[in-house]
Amino acid sequence: MRKALVEMKADRIEDLIRPLAPFVAVMVAAIVVMILVPEIVLWVPKMFGYKST
């Protein structure tokens, strides 16, 4: 069991970060869009009848 864990260990942190970078970029872009256009986020509550004051 211990040998299997050692074999799965990544040699460098870059080996893990590089494949995940596109996903992180998409998440950051989505957050930026939600900040700049809040109507996108508020559309669902308004659809269910929420009335802001």
Side-chain angles (χ1 to χ4, degrees):
M1 176 75 173
R2 196 157 215 225
K3 185 177 180 183
L5 291 175
V6 171
E7 290 175 5
M8 290 188 332
K9 184 183 76 148
D11 294 336
R12 299 179 306 164
I13 192 72
E14 291 86 10
D15 295 337
L16 296 174
I17 293 175
R18 193 162 289 145
L20 294 177
F23 297 101
V24 174
V26 168
M27 287 190 290
V28 169
I31 291 171
V32 168
V33 168
M34 287 186 273
I35 290 170
L36 295 177
V37 188
E39 291 83 19
I40 293 173
V41 178
L42 298 174
W43 174 72
V44 172
K46 287 179 184 176
M47 189 175 74
F48 284 106
Y50 177 75
K51 306 259 190 248
S52 61
T53 55

